[in-house]
Amino acid sequence: MTLPTDKILRFLRSVHPYDSLAADTLDDLATRFQVMTIGKGDPIYAVGSPMQGLYLLYDGEVEVRDANGSPVSLLGARNSFGERGLVRDGNALTSARAATDSILLMLPRADFDDLMASERAFARFFDRRRNDTRRGSDLATSRVKTFMADTPVTCPPVTDVQQAARLMHDNRISSLCIVDGDRLAGIVTTRDLTGRVLAPGLPCTTRVQDVMTRDPLTLSPSAIGSDVLHAMMEHRIGHIPIVEAGQLVGIVTQTDLTRFQAVSSAELVSAIARSGSADEMARVTAEIPRLLVQLVAGGNRHEVVTRLITDIADTATRRLLHLGEQKLGPPPVPYLWLACGSQGRQEQTGVSDQDNCLILDDAVTPEQMPYFADLARFVSDGLDTCGYYYCPGDMMATNPRWCQPLRVWRQYFQGWIATPDPQAQMLASVMFDLRAIGGDKSLFEGLQKDTLHAASRNSIFVAHMIANSLKHTPPLGLLRGFATIRSGEHRNMIDLKLNGVVPVVDLGRIYALKGELTEVNTRARLQAAEAAGVVSTAGARELVDAYDLIAETRLTHQLARINAGDAADNFMSPTTLSDFERSHLRDAFVVVKTMQSSVGQGRGMLS
């Protein structure tokens, strides 16, 4: 079948990112697409075959499968496939076939590469690597909506100045927004009351409409901090109402700017290190959501954000250990407190429980064990007070099983490796993420090295660990792009932790096990696996790109929750994403699924 160029052109104008191209560029591009008619069930390309170009589905449906033939997604009209993220060394990582009689438009690889090099909007859409434009965190580049006060106090124009002063006093604010119906009519500040009411001796019954600043300068929530700073400096004002679609949605004051800049991980760490009790620390850790907002809004990469957030938990743990020793006396033998889970991997976000354990020197006696039980309880209770809630699975040092001498820990790992039943697999997965937090670190160094060496050489254990790691799969659906939760309070949402970052965390752990890599952080494991030749360079880099996108989507979702006044969580509705975001997130999940398939089939670990 052939399609007239004008028909192709009309179609391209309805599809992003082609609709962003200049008219002459699009006119030329319409002549470069090759029209392909594919019958139902016919292949389009196979895994490992050279990718001829970018495919755009004009009509029909196309099914994409991974390297093992498992369905990944069912694409409809206006969907693209075959872009760089799903190609390795020019060859396809997936296969595609027509699920119905279909018409495809294929842009040859050379033309696709030319557009990637010359058209920024096109490149940003199709290349995840170029999509990372994040910068360092500072006020100047942060969006106003991340630090504005979103519940401004208001009053009508007929309010008298005494009532206005009382409102400001009672709410501990220095300005009032004056609204007339739905319209922002003006603003009045404490300086206005001093200069325009008290100084000229006006009566207390004067209406605020007579002394307010009419039609004040406003900004939108999408403005950035530098817009606020420049406006305040230029106009010599200290309050700027934030208006969206004609509605007052917030206000920014100089106090907001100071407060935003004052929150930093270093400040929180310093405050925790000086705290004298868990209650004092809790007042500091309560600032973590605001710090998360600032770090994410300021454009920090996810591995920077989670590292800074985890540093706070580490400091709180060490401070509690110190306070515990002050209360209980010096420890009878050396010990080491370790964290596992997200704290162990230095990947904490705005939602964290505690996963920890104690390794004791082999010289410990039964009579000395109650000391460490009391220390574990003191620290775990303190962490819970600080917002790091108790582990639902009781993977904590308060459980006697996880507060043992070094020799017992060696027996644990030896037993898990020798008899990899389901419980052993689960426990080994958790404990392979251990990281020393406070105490005698030498208690762990030999254990970690010896365990990795023994585990990597037990093929049966490795096989069981691989099988266990594949239990968490990306939320890929056939019809709508994502497989959402079907029932319960999170119905129609996707779990960005369990089905998002966890599958990559599991892959990173397998690579570390296979290569005897001591890194615990997931991103560091992937990079170390590439350097050690455990996974191919192309595979590792694609997986890192996919992980970055998933992890940053998770943090952006948590940012939105906090800004809306809700607690951060991991459950996101795909409907909150744009077509652009859904397309790239789906591609990231496909990369993860493909790498899972490779590991499951014994591939994906070769350079």
Side-chain angles (χ1 to χ4, degrees):
M1 176 182 178
T2 59
L3 286 174
T5 301
D6 62 335
K7 203 167 187 178
I8 295 175
L9 184 59
R10 284 198 300 273
F11 179 72
L12 293 178
R13 286 172 179 158
S14 69
V15 180
H16 190 71
Y18 306 97
D19 58 352
S20 66
L21 301 177
D24 55 347
T25 301
L26 197 58
D27 289 342
D28 177 65
L29 187 62
T31 66
R32 298 179 182 274
F33 274 98
Q34 298 175 12
V35 180
M36 302 172 60
T37 302
I38 311 293
K40 178 180 179 180
D42 289 345
I44 300 169
Y45 59 78
V47 173
S49 62
M51 189 64 76
Q52 302 299 316
L54 175 72
Y55 296 89
L56 176 60
L57 189 51
Y58 182 86
D59 187 44
E61 293 182 339
V62 169
E63 184 181 59
V64 178
R65 292 177 174 264
D66 64 20
N68 296 312
S70 300
V72 170
S73 55
L74 185 67
L75 307 178
R78 291 182 170 78
N79 276 306
S80 297
F81 57 102
E83 57 265 32
R84 286 178 177 176
L86 305 180
V87 177
R88 181 184 299 166
D89 299 328
N91 297 323
L93 292 172
T94 58
S95 63
R97 69 175 184 87
T100 64
D101 291 341
S102 302
I103 301 173
L104 303 177
L105 302 179
M106 195 274 285
L107 183 64
R109 178 62 54 186
D111 294 313
F112 174 75
D113 289 342
D114 286 345
L115 275 176
M116 292 292 288
S118 61
E119 296 292 336
R120 183 176 180 183
F122 193 86
R124 286 184 66 247
F125 186 86
F126 284 109
D127 194 336
R128 283 189 299 275
R129 289 183 180 88
R130 298 189 191 191
N131 206 24
D132 188 5
T133 57
R134 295 188 162 215
R135 293 167 289 184
S137 172
D138 59 45
L139 175 65
T141 57
S142 298
R143 296 291 181 186
V144 164
K145 63 183 179 182
T146 66
F147 57 83
M148 70 181 186
D150 56 8
T151 54
V153 180
T154 65
C155 69
V158 295
T159 304
D160 64 52
V161 292
Q162 185 174 29
Q163 289 177 301
R166 187 176 297 113
L167 274 174
M168 285 190 267
H169 175 269
D170 292 346
N171 288 278
R172 298 182 181 180
I173 55 177
S174 56
S175 66
L176 279 178
C177 290
I178 314 303
V179 293
D180 187 3
D182 292 333
R183 185 180 69 87
L184 175 67
I187 186 172
V188 65
T189 68
T190 52
R191 188 171 66 177
D192 293 330
L193 296 182
T194 301
R196 298 179 182 179
V197 179
L198 293 178
L202 296 181
C204 294
T205 54
T206 303
R207 294 180 177 181
V208 291
Q209 65 185 8
D210 297 326
V211 296
M212 69 183 184
T213 298
R214 296 179 178 275
D215 299 320
L217 173 71
T218 64
L219 291 172
S220 74
S222 62
I224 59 177
S226 58
D227 296 331
V228 177
L229 290 168
H230 295 164
M232 286 184 173
M233 296 295 247
E234 179 181 354
H235 299 282
R236 298 182 181 181
I237 55 178
H239 308 76
I240 298 181
I242 307 301
V243 174
E244 184 174 34
Q247 300 293 313
L248 177 69
V249 296
I251 189 168
V252 175
T253 69
Q254 290 177 334
T255 301
D256 295 320
L257 302 186
T258 302
R259 185 185 299 118
F260 182 88
Q261 291 175 302
V263 180
S264 72
S265 59
E267 289 286 340
L268 300 189
V269 164
S270 177
I272 288 172
R274 298 192 304 269
S275 295
S277 67
D279 288 335
E280 285 185 30
M281 287 185 226
R283 288 192 284 273
V284 181
T285 55
E287 296 293 319
I288 290 178
R290 194 149 59 92
L291 174 64
L292 181 70
V293 167
Q294 177 176 326
L295 292 171
V296 177
N300 285 281
R301 293 180 58 86
H302 72 92
E303 68 270 23
V304 174
V305 175
T306 54
R307 173 62 182 270
L308 295 176
I309 297 295
T310 305
D311 284 348
I312 296 169
D314 290 355
T315 304
T317 304
R318 285 189 287 268
R319 184 58 180 165
L320 287 166
L321 287 169
H322 177 74
L323 293 175
E325 290 184 17
Q326 283 186 335
K327 177 181 179 181
L328 302 172
V333 297
Y335 72 87
L336 178 63
W337 184 283
L338 303 98
C340 47
S342 60
Q343 184 183 0
R345 297 189 305 273
Q346 296 178 298
E347 294 167 3
Q348 286 189 317
T349 63
V351 187
S352 295
D353 61 355
Q354 52 175 297
D355 299 280
N356 45 58
C357 64
L358 271 170
I359 297 178
L360 311 178
D361 189 278
D362 282 337
V364 68
T365 66
E367 293 75 23
Q368 294 168 335
M369 291 299 290
Y371 174 93
F372 293 105
D374 291 341
L375 180 65
R377 176 56 60 191
F378 181 88
V379 175
S380 288
D381 286 350
L383 288 173
D384 182 69
T385 298
C386 291
Y388 304 101
Y389 54 88
Y390 299 121
C391 173
D394 203 20
M395 299 288 289
M396 298 185 298
T398 50
N399 183 337
R401 186 178 186 184
W402 309 127
C403 177
Q404 292 291 334
L406 177 59
R407 63 178 179 276
V408 175
W409 279 100
R410 288 190 181 277
Q411 292 169 6
Y412 283 163
F413 280 103
Q414 290 167 1
W416 296 333
I417 294 169
T419 311
D421 57 33
Q423 186 185 33
Q425 296 167 33
M426 182 273 291
L427 293 174
S429 294
V430 173
M431 295 305 176
F432 272 123
D433 292 350
L434 285 174
R435 182 172 59 88
I437 303 298
D440 186 349
K441 294 184 179 181
S442 67
L443 290 170
F444 183 58
E445 292 170 355
L447 175 63
Q448 182 187 40
K449 182 179 178 180
D450 294 345
T451 299
L452 284 171
H453 183 75
S456 66
R457 279 158 174 71
N458 187 316
S459 59
I460 295 176
F461 176 76
V462 172
H464 279 281
M465 287 291 289
I466 289 173
N468 187 63
S469 74
L470 302 179
K471 291 179 179 178
H472 299 111
T473 58
L476 287 167
L478 292 180
L479 297 177
R480 293 181 292 176
F482 296 107
T484 57
I485 298 170
R486 295 184 177 181
S487 61
E489 63 175 314
H490 303 303
R491 185 173 178 268
N492 296 327
M493 297 182 181
I494 58 178
D495 188 336
L496 288 171
K497 178 183 179 181
L498 196 63
N499 301 111
V501 298
V502 168
V504 187
V505 169
D506 289 341
L507 284 172
R509 189 181 298 115
I510 293 300
Y511 296 146
L513 172 61
K514 190 73 174 178
E516 298 183 44
L517 308 173
T518 58
E519 285 79 2
V520 179
N521 175 264
T522 297
R523 204 171 191 276
R525 278 173 165 170
L526 299 180
Q527 292 171 329
E530 176 192 351
V534 176
V535 64
S536 70
T537 296
R541 293 180 181 179
E542 287 159 6
L543 191 54
V544 167
D545 282 347
Y547 178 56
D548 286 346
L549 182 61
I550 296 166
E552 290 180 4
T553 299
R554 180 190 182 198
L555 284 179
T556 301
H557 164 72
Q558 293 188 1
L559 167 87
R561 292 272 305 175
I562 295 169
N563 280 336
D566 300 318
D569 68 12
N570 296 300
F571 300 97
M572 182 193 72
S573 170
T575 59
T576 62
L577 301 176
S578 66
D579 289 343
F580 173 88
E581 292 166 330
R582 280 196 296 271
S583 174
H584 284 294
L585 186 59
R586 186 197 68 202
D587 287 349
F589 287 143
V590 170
V591 169
V592 177
K593 179 70 179 295
T594 300
M595 296 301 288
Q596 283 186 323
S597 297
S598 296
V599 169
Q601 296 298 314
R603 301 188 304 276
M605 293 189 181
L606 302 175
S607 57

